[in-house]
Amino acid sequence: MNNKIIFKTGLALASLLFVFSSCKKQLEIEPRQSIEATTALSSKDAIDASIASIYSSYKSARLYGRDLIAIPEVLADNGFATNKSGRLLNEANNVQGAHFTGSVWSIAYASINQINNTIAAINTGGITPKPVQADLDRWMGQLLFLRGLYYFNLVEVYSYIPGAEVAANDKGGVPLSVTGIATSTDALAWKPSRAPLADIYAQIVKDLVDAESKLTFPGLGVNLANKAAAQALLSRVYLYSKNYTESKKWSDAVITLASSKLATTANYVAQWRGETHTETLFQVRFATPAENIGVNESLQTSFTTLVTPGNQASTGGFGDVVPTISMLNDLGITLTGGNTASVYALSHTVASRSTDVRNLMFEPGTAGRGNIKVECTKYIGKNGTINLDNIPVLRISEAVLNRAEARATAGSPVLDLAGALTDLKSIKSRRYTDYTGSAAETDDNAMTQAQLLEEILRQRRIEFAFEGHRFFDLKRLGRDLVKGPHYNNVAFTDTRILPAVPQSEIDGNPNLKQNVGY
Amino acid sequence: MRKVLSIFLCMVLACSSVLAQNRTITGKISDETGKSLEGASIQAKGSKTAVVTKADGSFTIQVAPNTKTLVVSYVGSEKTEIALSGQSVYTVSLKKKADPMEEVVVTGYQTRKKRDESGAISSIKAAQIENRPNASLDKALQGQAAGVLVQAANGLPGGAINVRIRGQGSYLAGNDPLYIVDGVQINTRSDGNFTQNNPLAFLNPDDIESIDILKDAASASIYGSNAANGVVIITTKKGKAGQTKFIANAYAGSVQMMKKLEMSNSQEYFKMRAEAYGNANNLPWNNLAVLQTVLNELRVPNAATLNQEQALVIGLTHLPTYDWQDAAFRNGSIQNYELSASGGNDKTTFRIASNYSSQEANITKADFKRAGTRFDIQNKATDRLTLGTSINLSTFNQNNPFATSGSFLGNPAFSASGLIPVNPIYNPNGTYYGVPGQTPANLIGTLNQNIIQVNDLNSGYQRTNQMVGNVNLDYKINNWLTFKTLVGMDYRLTQGKNVRDSRTPDGFNFKGNVFVQSNWNTNINTYQTLNFNKTFGTKHRLDGLVGFEMRRENNESITANGQGFPTYQFTSLNNAATPASVGEFYTGFRRNGVFGKVNYGFDRKYLISVTFRRDGSSRFGSGNQYGIFGGVSGAWNIDQENFLKNSKVISSLKLRGSYGSTGGDQIGNFDALGLYGGGGIYNGGSGISYSQLANPNLKWERNITTNLGLDFGLFNNRVTGSLEVYNKETRDLLISQPIQSSTGFSSITSNVGRLTNKGIELTLGGDLIKSTNPGAFNWNVAFTFAYNKNEVKELYGGLKILPGDNSVQVGQPLGVLFTQKFAGVNPATGRPMWYDTLGNLTYQVLAKDRKIIGPQNIPLYQGGLRNSLTYKNFTLDFFFQYEYGRYTSDGQANFMMENIARINVLKEAYDNRWTTPGQITFFPRYHVSGTESKGSSAQSGSRTFFKANYVRLKNVSLNYNLSPSILKKSGLSSVRFYVQGTNLWTASDWFSYDIEFVGSATGIVPQTKNYTAGVQVGF
């Protein structure tokens, strides 16, 4: 070939490639397991999928997957940390900083933003195929219920509860937003302060009341939001904020709707062994093996070493948290050697039990992780696989105890000791095999208001043992954490009642106030 | 023979001095190729008598009778001495003088002579890395080039390596250099799920001819976008024209534990556990209830019925101690076999090389086996057209360890030391002790898995098949212009399987748990360049190139997990009762660029070069995909100036300077986009959620480097070296910018920050002992030293500390250790203490008490020292590397010095624990909760961080080359025997397995000592 031709060809080829290089198309590449955000929420399926993700976040071990259930037990007086894996040890010891983590904050706000963006997408009306009213009610009912519950989780964890504040340590509620953030400009500009506690509770109530009006019962079933769940949560939120009239009102509503679900002494154990407890109004469901939290942090592993009830030969989890002596006393369990605790680390088995069927949820674990302890078996792989359990969030018996407390609390506008006693008995008769007609019943009939309230609270402790209520119940009542003989007591005025707001939020935002002591 | 000669010579000289008459010596001087040299000077040593050779190389000189030696010198050749004997005619061929400045370096898309190059480039030659038992080439770089920090993440053969050129230039964007093997840009993803897979393990390091590292921006900017962290250009061995040469090489050896940890025995464990219970319950350790509790834990029968005396006797004398480290660690073997053939004629040259390499870790079952073949063919189709191809095919198979790192109970590297030593390994009948399905079903303590059983029964592998190849074409358009094109491909398929056997704790409850993975990565790059090289007159020389390059990479994988197998013999997913999960993943990127470079040299004295590149990357926002990078550099070869030409001291001297910019885009492939992704599953439905906010403003991170360099050679280049000073500034630093998580997002990828790396690099080499006599003793040393200071200069919004990551602080190096300062153990109480903001002692740390302790990621000083000693046919090489000036925390050691006694601890920690008031110690009293009431965990703050300084004898090798006279008889062209040792000695006070690690050392396979012996035969 002629040199010149080659030269020209070479140059032509090179310049062609130069042109090609500036072609933008060549740099185009699309992700496959994600899609463009701006058009993601444009179909009915997309809205349903978005809502699924909001429920799914509740499965996190930082929320109902473990922390919202296990940490309230150890921070308060129910749980003793066995140190079998080393987990929850510092929480049980109330070490400063060992508390709920910043993940409650980040996961809850991610879900709230998802809710806000989904509501915005629904409201733009650009959804295809066009949703009918039933779709809108189903979506909005669930989204508002979930937003109410997430804000409730945030504010019960990071703030004081109305009517039980320590003024010197009170920094208010949490940041409040009901509009979605969908651009980085908005996200960078978002420097919130903590909204007043009252504003947060008002928003929770507003969302739940709206949700209640849009939802039905049994409606979508107990794995999803439903009317009874919204009512039960309203009953709890009002009880926490000491609005006893409204708490009773919503308790009345849900008891009317669902009191038939109350378990009895005859079926109590069976209910906890089945996938879904009949009393459940709302639970977080774990269905497939892929949803399994696993051997480190599931509730089963946190609370028991057993794989199946009664089989001490097979060790599964760690059994990191077991009932304290005072919890065992309330449960009516006496250990071999008595309920003393000079060195609570010794192996223990059950010497005797009261007639309370609830203590059947507690039994000796295995020797596989060290000394045998009496452990809680409410979560024991009920869904068919080890470490896979549905987690009840709202049960009908809570509404009964909420109403009892609303009626029995001194100064309550709906003070009604007889009614409170009736509510208390409706629980006790379903829990103690020999309660009706017993001496205990006679004693209960003679209780003063103060005694009645204490008994209601004691029953609440037993009924919801290892279900994540205890710390919040003590906190909303402004009570000290009495942790002897295992640990030192923590006064309600102590800064360790509140966890730290994530430090990174404080570092990046001068408007946001950290809780005291961090 | 030589000795005899010299004795003879002495005798002759002795005689001649008596005779005292002038002698006439004649002879002929030629160069190595036999060409006669005109103008060589011949001088009688010790006198002024000198002559020069004629055109035919001949000379005649009259010397005094006592003259013993003639000195021959010629420009560009080594000075040679002629020892005069009785004869009067001598023929001498002069050896060409080794001139480091005339060595070839590979720069971007060009090869140039070092003298003509003005950038900061380090070169490593084959001899420096040959026959080392390294699975991948990055490990071979260790300590070899100044400013190139290479840290092994662990001792897994074929495992991850951390390479940093001139410090850490980026926070979010990666800090890995760009690797180019024969023009192919290599993907540096590690996609193995089950064991580490090093993307550079495909290449047998023995196939490497040279490695050139472009360190300054002016050199690297020709690679623009990818070059922010430096460029490592690897050139493989090629065939040479001539008779076909075969080289067979084989070595084998052993992998051994560098160090076994000295742990407490069962008696000591018993006592520490009793103290832990006692201290937590305000009881003495020998309280009966405490003793019973501990013995009961240790499975002593009827512990609760013992009295105090009995309990103490059992606890302090009867408990057996089992050594789990001995059971878990092993001596592994190394084997490596290579065979290559190279040769060709003036038209076609080729090289074919095959290798098989096998290396076992010192812990079951991790290993690395590679088989590979390379083909290199170059063909001169015409005078102008050269075609070539290089193809490297390799397959490597790695057996998975239970875990590559981490505090997994079944991970032998983690648990072997911490297991409570009272646990037997086997039952008396030889079966495993403490495994599921038996009584007891597990071991005593938190570490409750029988790691020997777990590792014997679990199985799994990872197989990587990789093809890296290129096709290239050079067309000489005319005598100064060449068109080059290259198409390269790096294709990798990684497949793996991991079986949690149903007899082991992690598989028992699932009835077997099996994971599989398949990942394929297709990475293609191509470039076309026009290279020019023209001389104007005698002194002006212009060379350079313009070109275009593009690269695309696609990565896809599928994963699956099944559970519920009929029996342990079944491990195929086909037999799983429950398909637990499936997954699919895709990612990729695109890049393209145009570039050009012009080098101008005047008289090979004054050099200047200009580089330009415009690059596009798919990773950035649509408006910011393109970035422009460039550089200018200049150099002055001072030694070519007349005033130095005849210097006896300075044989070469060059001053270099450069300024340029490179880009960084090592962020997530889709970080600029606003995305909705998978949002988990719930109640049978699959969710979606807003996973990432868009940042359309995302753009290139830019590194601006100023570099000053001085290359020198002294005393006939007997001492050579170079000194570099640089300032590398990273602008538009890519940061994962934290945003208020109450937005629902935690961060967005942004360009908001600035940091600098300033440093000094020194390379010194020299012949400590150099003899002109062949076969005499020679000692050559090469020393590298690098100092790098990293400093964050600026963050967005005037922030001094990056929210969410307080190791990023303005005025401090990236990854600074910022925590509460440990103040020791209170001698009165045995409780750990820290300093608060006011410098007072506190038991409880608070966020505000944090302060800066020191740099954590990258050492301040590092380098290496190589010694090469030759005598006759022996060569002894030994090589030290060192690091100084960083703090690190060893996760494994942290577990081994806990004060909880939930696992076993180091004997040193036990011996020095606080027991009595007044005792000054580092180790607080034992406490079963680990944390005292109203106190912080003993592991808080700076207590677990230590200075990570060390000097290590990295490699020693002894070679023996068979002498040519013996070879002649055997018909072989070369035979070399060698023995090597790796990691033989370390000066460091590190108290865990090994100081050489990156990240947390928790449960990693530690580095090993290797011994190998081999033979290389050429025929």
Side-chain angles (χ1 to χ4, degrees):
Chain A
M1 263 200 286
N2 182 312
N3 275 355
K4 275 186 180 163
I5 294 176
I6 293 293
F7 184 45
K8 280 176 187 164
T9 324
L11 271 186
L13 190 62
S15 39
L16 194 75
L17 289 164
F18 276 52
V19 174
F20 185 47
S21 74
S22 46
C23 178
K24 292 220 70 162
K25 225 174 182 175
Q26 205 210 302
L27 293 182
E28 276 177 12
I29 179 167
E30 295 286 326
R32 291 189 194 161
Q33 58 271 9
S34 298
I35 58 167
E36 178 59 41
T38 46
T39 55
L41 295 182
S42 54
S43 68
K44 284 169 85 165
D45 282 349
I47 300 295
D48 282 325
S50 169
I51 293 171
S53 79
I54 298 158
Y55 284 108
S56 181
S57 295
Y58 266 130
K59 295 186 301 183
S60 162
R62 300 286 75 79
L63 298 181
Y64 285 114
R66 187 192 79 172
D67 286 2
L68 284 174
I69 304 296
I71 288 184
E73 303 299 314
V74 286
L75 287 178
D77 51 3
N78 281 0
F80 172 80
T82 60
N83 195 14
K84 287 182 176 175
S85 79
R87 292 186 183 86
L88 298 171
L89 206 56
N90 291 335
E91 288 80 356
N93 240 330
N94 297 92
V95 170
Q96 182 89 13
H99 207 291
F100 287 101
T101 67
S103 299
V104 177
W105 182 283
S106 56
I107 300 171
Y109 277 112
S111 294
I112 288 167
N113 192 51
Q114 189 67 33
I115 292 167
N116 294 340
N117 280 324
T118 309
I119 291 174
I122 293 168
N123 289 340
T124 55
I127 300 197
T128 51
K130 189 133 190 71
V132 297
Q133 190 58 41
D135 293 325
L136 295 174
D137 285 349
R138 175 168 53 90
W139 290 339
M140 290 304 289
Q142 293 182 85
L143 289 164
L144 294 170
F145 172 83
L146 288 164
R147 189 163 70 187
L149 184 54
Y150 272 114
Y151 268 119
F152 181 65
N153 296 144
L154 278 170
V155 82
E156 70 175 344
V157 165
Y158 293 104
S159 301
Y160 284 114
I161 293 167
E165 297 106 329
V166 176
N169 298 346
D170 185 15
K171 302 290 178 186
V174 293
L176 178 62
S177 172
V178 291
T179 50
I181 285 176
T183 66
S184 45
T185 317
D186 288 351
L188 290 168
W190 176 248
K191 296 277 188 262
S193 54
R194 295 172 69 162
L197 209 48
D199 292 8
I200 305 285
Y201 274 82
Q203 181 64 43
I204 293 168
V205 166
K206 180 171 177 298
D207 281 345
L208 292 176
V209 170
D210 274 4
E212 195 268 347
S213 71
K214 294 180 195 305
L215 293 167
T216 57
F217 182 77
L220 304 167
V222 298
N223 300 323
L224 302 173
N226 60 68
K227 195 180 199 74
Q231 291 169 344
L233 187 52
L234 276 163
S235 145
R236 187 195 293 182
V237 169
Y238 276 122
L239 184 74
Y240 272 44
S241 54
K242 285 127 196 124
N243 185 335
Y244 299 113
T245 311
E246 286 294 315
S247 180
K248 177 180 171 297
K249 179 187 125 187
W250 290 106
S251 299
D252 289 343
V254 68
I255 290 167
T256 307
L257 207 55
S259 65
S260 62
K261 288 171 130 287
L262 279 166
T264 64
T265 53
N267 69 0
Y268 179 84
V269 172
Q271 288 311 326
W272 275 107
R273 296 296 177 234
E275 278 195 31
T276 300
H277 194 304
T278 180
E279 288 196 354
T280 305
L281 302 177
F282 174 63
Q283 68 183 0
V284 175
R285 185 181 180 213
F286 289 75
T288 69
E291 295 174 90
N292 199 316
I293 290 175
V295 73
N296 286 334
E297 290 200 320
S298 73
L299 281 178
Q300 177 170 3
T301 193
S302 297
F303 292 156
T304 183
T305 53
L306 294 164
V307 178
T308 47
N311 177 10
Q312 284 179 282
S314 182
T315 299
F318 287 101
D320 284 319
V321 177
V322 300
T324 57
I325 294 296
S326 70
M327 182 80 243
L328 288 168
N329 285 336
D330 274 357
L331 284 166
I333 290 175
T334 309
L335 302 174
T336 47
N339 289 1
T340 57
S342 66
V343 180
Y344 191 47
L346 275 175
S347 278
H348 291 292
T349 53
V350 174
S352 68
R353 293 175 186 274
S354 72
T355 57
D356 190 341
V357 292
R358 289 171 295 198
N359 68 38
L360 297 172
M361 293 297 106
F362 295 83
E363 64 180 68
T366 76
R369 306 280 188 189
N371 290 334
I372 294 171
K373 311 301 295 181
V374 171
E375 298 169 341
C376 172
T377 61
K378 283 184 173 175
Y379 316 90
I380 191 100
K382 305 180 295 214
N383 295 16
T385 311
I386 187 168
N387 301 322
L388 204 66
D389 289 275
N390 290 338
I391 293 160
V393 175
L394 292 158
R395 291 201 283 122
I396 184 62
S397 45
E398 185 194 340
V400 178
L401 288 168
N402 288 350
R403 187 169 70 183
E405 194 180 327
R407 283 166 159 173
T409 299
S412 163
V414 288
L415 189 73
D416 170 7
L417 296 183
L421 185 62
T422 309
D423 285 336
L424 177 69
K425 284 181 174 180
S426 86
I427 293 298
K428 291 183 83 169
S429 63
R430 286 177 164 90
R431 299 296 184 253
Y432 295 87
T433 51
D434 60 351
Y435 181 71
T436 309
S438 68
E441 187 182 12
T442 315
D443 289 349
D444 284 353
N445 290 336
M447 285 188 290
T448 63
Q449 175 270 332
Q451 287 169 331
L452 178 59
L453 181 63
E454 283 314 304
E455 179 59 13
I456 290 165
L457 293 171
R458 197 180 76 91
Q459 285 301 319
R460 197 175 169 95
R461 180 187 191 190
I462 306 166
E463 180 64 32
F464 300 113
F466 290 77
E467 292 183 56
H469 284 249
R470 184 63 178 171
F471 174 70
F472 296 123
D473 282 335
L474 295 174
K475 183 180 173 184
R476 70 183 166 88
L477 295 168
R479 297 192 174 190
D480 296 345
L481 311 178
V482 181
K483 309 212 34 162
H486 312 292
Y487 308 107
N488 296 317
N489 296 345
V490 178
F492 181 67
T493 50
D494 196 297
T495 57
R496 288 174 288 166
I497 295 298
L498 297 180
V501 168
Q503 187 63 34
S504 54
E505 299 284 278
I506 307 293
D507 288 347
N509 178 8
N511 302 328
L512 196 66
K513 293 282 171 287
Q514 179 61 283
N515 283 330
V516 174
Y518 296 98
Chain B
M1 184 65 192
R2 189 156 291 274
K3 220 173 201 173
V4 176
L5 262 179
S6 37
I7 293 168
F8 182 59
L9 184 72
C10 289
M11 286 167 65
V12 170
L13 288 173
C15 298
S16 55
S17 67
V18 176
L19 295 173
Q21 259 182 328
N22 272 5
R23 295 172 62 194
T24 302
I25 309 284
T26 59
K28 205 170 169 182
I29 308 295
S30 62
D31 71 5
E32 282 164 294
T33 61
K35 199 181 119 196
S36 302
L37 293 176
E38 181 186 6
S41 113
I42 319 292
Q43 188 177 22
K45 199 172 181 180
S47 86
K48 285 184 178 165
T49 318
V51 295
V52 291
T53 54
K54 295 179 191 155
D56 63 352
S58 66
F59 69 92
T60 307
I61 186 169
Q62 301 279 329
V63 296
N66 59 347
T67 302
K68 296 168 188 167
T69 313
L70 293 182
V71 179
V72 185
S73 49
Y74 183 75
V75 180
S77 295
E78 280 191 15
K79 201 175 266 188
T80 306
E81 296 187 354
I82 307 174
L84 295 179
S85 58
Q87 60 191 119
S88 55
V89 181
Y90 296 87
T91 306
V92 175
S93 73
L94 293 183
K95 253 172 94 181
K96 211 172 163 203
K97 198 193 292 182
D99 183 353
M101 299 309 277
E102 293 297 322
E103 279 175 14
V104 162
V105 290
V106 183
T107 68
Y109 310 96
Q110 282 187 298
T111 51
R112 312 188 74 233
K113 289 214 165 139
K114 204 165 180 193
R115 190 184 303 284
D116 301 326
E117 186 49 47
S118 49
I121 300 173
S122 290
S123 297
I124 297 165
K125 301 294 175 204
Q128 286 166 259
I129 56 171
E130 260 175 358
N131 297 331
R132 301 284 158 78
N134 294 324
S136 58
L137 66 100
D138 40 8
K139 209 167 174 181
L141 294 175
Q142 204 159 32
Q144 304 276 12
V148 181
L149 174 69
V150 180
Q151 297 166 308
N154 54 44
L156 269 182
I161 310 282
N162 189 46
V163 177
R164 298 286 173 266
I165 296 174
R166 293 188 164 175
Q168 213 178 342
S170 188
Y171 171 68
L172 177 64
N175 282 289
D176 289 321
L178 168 69
Y179 293 93
I180 298 173
V181 175
D182 290 337
V184 183
Q185 300 189 5
I186 300 301
N187 97 67
T188 45
R189 297 177 58 92
S190 175
D191 294 308
N193 281 2
F194 305 126
T195 186
Q196 294 184 332
N197 83 343
N198 183 322
L200 300 171
F202 73 93
L203 185 66
N204 178 9
D206 288 353
D207 283 331
I208 296 171
E209 177 68 35
S210 68
I211 301 173
D212 294 276
I213 301 163
L214 312 186
K215 296 191 289 193
D216 67 326
S219 312
S221 62
I222 189 79
Y223 288 107
S225 61
N226 319 303
N229 305 311
V231 184
V232 178
I233 302 176
I234 293 127
T235 309
T236 59
K237 291 174 180 164
K238 302 283 187 299
K240 288 194 183 79
Q243 202 184 352
T244 301
K245 272 188 202 159
F246 293 90
I247 294 176
N249 184 26
Y251 62 79
S254 158
V255 174
Q256 298 180 9
M257 231 180 144
M258 231 186 304
K259 182 173 162 191
K260 183 178 156 187
L261 298 183
E262 195 184 351
M263 306 304 296
S264 302
N265 63 25
S266 292
Q267 282 65 43
E268 290 158 345
Y269 178 78
F270 166 77
K271 188 139 188 276
M272 77 178 84
R273 185 70 176 167
E275 288 177 13
Y277 272 120
N279 289 335
N281 292 283
N282 293 322
L283 294 170
W285 73 273
N286 56 3
N287 169 283
L288 179 60
V290 169
L291 297 178
Q292 288 176 342
T293 304
V294 177
L295 289 176
N296 186 54
E297 270 184 357
L298 298 179
R299 294 183 184 158
V300 171
N302 307 316
T305 64
L306 301 171
N307 65 32
Q308 192 187 28
E309 196 184 335
Q310 292 167 323
L312 285 172
V313 167
I314 292 175
L316 295 177
T317 57
H318 287 186
L319 295 173
T321 298
Y322 296 90
D323 194 327
W324 285 81
Q325 285 188 89
D326 278 353
F329 289 93
R330 65 174 177 185
N331 284 348
S333 71
I334 297 178
Q335 289 174 61
N336 188 74
Y337 306 98
E338 297 160 16
L339 180 64
S340 69
S342 65
N345 52 31
D346 54 347
K347 288 278 184 216
T348 304
T349 58
F350 73 96
R351 182 173 181 272
I352 305 170
S354 290
N355 73 84
Y356 172 79
S357 176
S358 153
Q359 191 171 338
E360 288 174 337
N362 64 335
I363 203 151
T364 55
K365 298 175 176 177
D367 68 0
F368 175 87
K369 290 193 188 83
R370 174 185 59 216
T373 304
R374 278 192 69 77
F375 309 92
D376 278 287
I377 298 168
Q378 304 288 328
N379 174 257
K380 276 189 181 164
T382 69
D383 284 350
R384 296 180 180 279
L385 183 65
T386 309
L387 296 163
T389 183
S390 295
I391 295 171
N392 191 102
L393 299 173
S394 60
T395 176
F396 43 102
N397 199 71
Q398 292 163 279
N399 267 313
N400 304 338
F402 178 86
T404 54
S405 66
S407 56
F408 299 100
L409 304 182
N411 176 3
F414 172 66
S415 296
S417 50
L419 267 163
I420 294 170
V422 80
N423 282 301
I425 300 164
Y426 300 102
N427 291 314
N429 65 5
T431 56
Y432 300 107
Y433 173 80
V435 298
Q438 301 182 359
T439 309
N442 39 40
L443 305 183
I444 299 159
T446 302
L447 303 179
N448 67 355
Q449 298 194 1
N450 187 322
I451 52 172
I452 306 303
Q453 184 242 19
V454 163
N455 278 273
D456 284 351
L457 301 187
N458 283 321
S459 58
Y461 63 87
Q462 188 164 285
R463 181 181 54 236
T464 305
N465 293 330
Q466 192 163 4
M467 196 285 285
V468 177
N470 71 65
V471 179
N472 57 70
L473 178 153
D474 281 21
Y475 187 82
K476 236 173 128 95
I477 296 165
N478 56 31
N479 64 2
W480 59 273
L481 196 58
T482 308
F483 174 72
K484 286 173 185 270
T485 182
L486 178 139
V487 180
M489 177 164 172
D490 167 12
Y491 174 80
R492 182 178 68 196
L493 175 65
T494 301
Q495 293 168 305
K497 177 162 183 149
N498 206 21
V499 177
R500 294 284 182 251
D501 189 285
S502 60
R503 294 165 292 175
T504 66
D506 286 314
F508 188 72
N509 290 316
F510 298 110
K511 285 210 79 183
N513 202 1
V514 174
F515 304 81
V516 296
Q517 177 210 16
S518 211
N519 176 294
W520 53 106
N521 195 87
T522 315
N523 165 33
I524 296 170
N525 76 309
T526 174
Y527 66 76
Q528 282 72 38
T529 62
L530 268 176
N531 295 41
F532 54 91
N533 188 343
K534 194 160 172 64
T535 311
F536 301 91
T538 53
K539 298 201 162 166
H540 304 273
R541 183 172 155 193
L542 202 61
D543 70 290
L545 58 99
V546 288
F548 156 77
E549 181 163 52
M550 58 173 270
R551 180 172 174 195
R552 42 194 297 145
E553 183 170 311
N554 286 331
N555 188 280
E556 290 179 68
S557 69
I558 50 174
T559 54
N561 169 219
Q563 298 168 347
F565 291 83
T567 72
Y568 71 84
Q569 291 104 323
F570 291 89
T571 57
S572 166
L573 287 186
N574 258 7
N575 305 106
T578 313
S581 70
V582 291
E584 186 183 355
F585 175 78
Y586 167 82
T587 191
F589 68 84
R590 308 282 183 259
R591 286 200 198 114
N592 63 29
V594 290
F595 51 86
K597 184 172 187 180
V598 180
N599 303 304
Y600 168 72
F602 176 75
D603 202 17
R604 294 193 84 189
K605 265 189 215 166
Y606 311 107
L607 315 167
I608 186 157
S609 83
V610 180
T611 310
F612 159 90
R613 180 151 176 151
R614 178 174 182 266
D615 248 337
S617 167
S618 62
R619 287 172 174 158
F620 297 114
S622 51
N624 299 311
Q625 288 184 318
Y626 287 90
I628 291 175
F629 310 97
V632 185
S633 63
W636 178 23
N637 282 313
I638 309 171
D639 54 359
Q640 301 296 304
E641 299 288 353
N642 288 333
F643 59 85
L644 275 184
K645 248 182 176 163
N646 296 315
S647 165
K648 289 230 157 56
V649 180
I650 295 169
S651 31
S652 64
L653 188 64
K654 177 180 191 174
L655 185 65
R656 292 182 276 109
S658 75
Y659 176 83
S661 65
T662 52
D665 75 341
Q666 287 186 33
I667 50 173
N669 285 332
F670 304 116
D671 278 6
L673 305 176
L675 295 176
Y676 256 71
I681 50 174
Y682 188 75
N683 203 29
S686 184
I688 56 169
S689 66
Y690 208 151
S691 53
Q692 183 173 293
L693 282 170
N695 183 1
N697 300 323
L698 199 63
K699 61 181 179 190
W700 293 94
E701 178 175 279
R702 305 176 74 83
N703 268 335
I704 318 286
T705 308
T706 311
N707 192 85
L708 273 178
L710 185 71
D711 300 329
F712 53 89
L714 307 175
F715 312 114
N716 242 334
N717 286 323
R718 186 163 169 177
V719 176
T720 58
S722 61
L723 181 69
E724 308 267 358
V725 183
Y726 63 87
N727 180 6
K728 180 164 101 174
E729 180 173 302
T730 307
R731 295 181 193 159
D732 297 325
L733 187 65
L734 285 163
I735 276 183
S736 176
Q737 182 180 359
I739 48 182
Q740 290 283 298
S741 60
S742 53
T743 58
F745 303 90
S746 58
S747 64
I748 44 175
T749 306
S750 295
N751 303 84
V752 276
R754 189 161 65 86
L755 66 83
T756 57
N757 280 284
K758 291 180 184 173
I760 300 171
E761 290 162 3
L762 177 68
T763 308
L764 267 181
D767 297 308
L768 279 187
I769 297 175
K770 189 179 178 186
S771 164
T772 45
N773 291 333
F777 182 65
N778 283 310
W779 183 0
N780 178 272
V781 293
F783 172 72
T784 63
F785 165 85
Y787 161 79
N788 185 78
K789 185 168 181 288
N790 176 291
E791 189 181 335
V792 178
K793 289 289 191 189
E794 203 179 308
L795 290 169
Y796 60 96
L799 282 177
K800 293 288 171 223
I801 300 182
L802 186 66
D805 184 355
N806 51 48
S807 77
V808 180
Q809 301 200 13
V810 173
Q812 297 297 329
L814 269 185
V816 70
L817 178 59
F818 179 69
T819 188
Q820 298 88 0
K821 194 163 172 51
F822 183 59
V825 170
N826 187 338
T829 61
R831 296 180 55 172
M833 304 181 295
W834 293 264
Y835 294 108
D836 70 8
T837 36
L838 303 171
N840 296 325
L841 296 169
T842 176
Y843 284 138
Q844 194 163 290
V845 297
L846 293 177
K848 63 180 183 189
D849 300 334
R850 292 172 299 180
K851 59 174 74 129
I852 284 160
I853 310 284
Q856 209 188 143
N857 286 359
I858 296 271
L860 274 176
Y861 306 95
Q862 50 105 1
L865 173 68
R866 154 189 291 281
N867 286 272
S868 182
L869 286 71
T870 53
Y871 179 68
K872 295 199 167 161
N873 297 330
F874 289 96
T875 308
L876 175 69
D877 272 304
F878 55 99
F879 172 63
F880 294 92
Q881 68 180 47
Y882 61 93
E883 281 184 26
Y884 179 85
R886 91 182 152 120
Y887 283 85
T888 195
S889 181
D890 184 320
Q892 183 73 18
N894 296 346
F895 275 101
M896 308 285 94
M897 56 181 226
E898 277 183 346
N899 64 332
I900 310 175
R902 59 178 172 165
I903 63 175
N904 200 15
V905 303
L906 290 167
K907 185 159 172 28
E908 185 190 347
Y910 171 81
D911 287 345
N912 294 304
R913 75 202 185 281
W914 185 92
T915 50
T916 27
Q919 188 183 346
I920 311 276
T921 179
F922 179 76
F923 298 96
R925 68 175 192 162
Y926 282 86
H927 190 286
V928 78
S929 300
T931 305
E932 306 263 358
S933 174
K934 285 230 164 195
S936 293
S937 154
Q939 313 284 64
S940 306
S942 67
R943 181 166 182 267
T944 58
F945 287 84
F946 303 95
K947 282 186 174 162
N949 302 332
Y950 72 94
V951 177
R952 166 162 286 176
L953 178 55
K954 191 72 192 167
N955 192 274
V956 177
S957 74
L958 178 65
N959 292 287
Y960 174 73
N961 289 313
L962 229 51
S963 63
S965 55
I966 300 175
L967 285 173
K968 233 176 193 173
K969 287 174 202 157
S970 63
L972 299 171
S973 61
S974 67
V975 175
R976 175 200 282 180
F977 298 96
Y978 54 92
V979 288
Q980 301 226 16
T982 308
N983 295 333
L984 296 185
W985 173 84
T986 307
S988 138
D989 52 7
W990 207 250
F991 46 88
S992 186
Y993 285 114
D994 185 32
I995 191 171
E996 197 185 328
F997 65 90
V998 182
S1000 157
T1002 311
I1004 61 168
V1005 176
Q1007 295 267 324
T1008 52
K1009 243 179 220 178
N1010 301 338
Y1011 301 95
T1012 53
V1015 58
Q1016 185 176 313
V1017 181
F1019 47 92

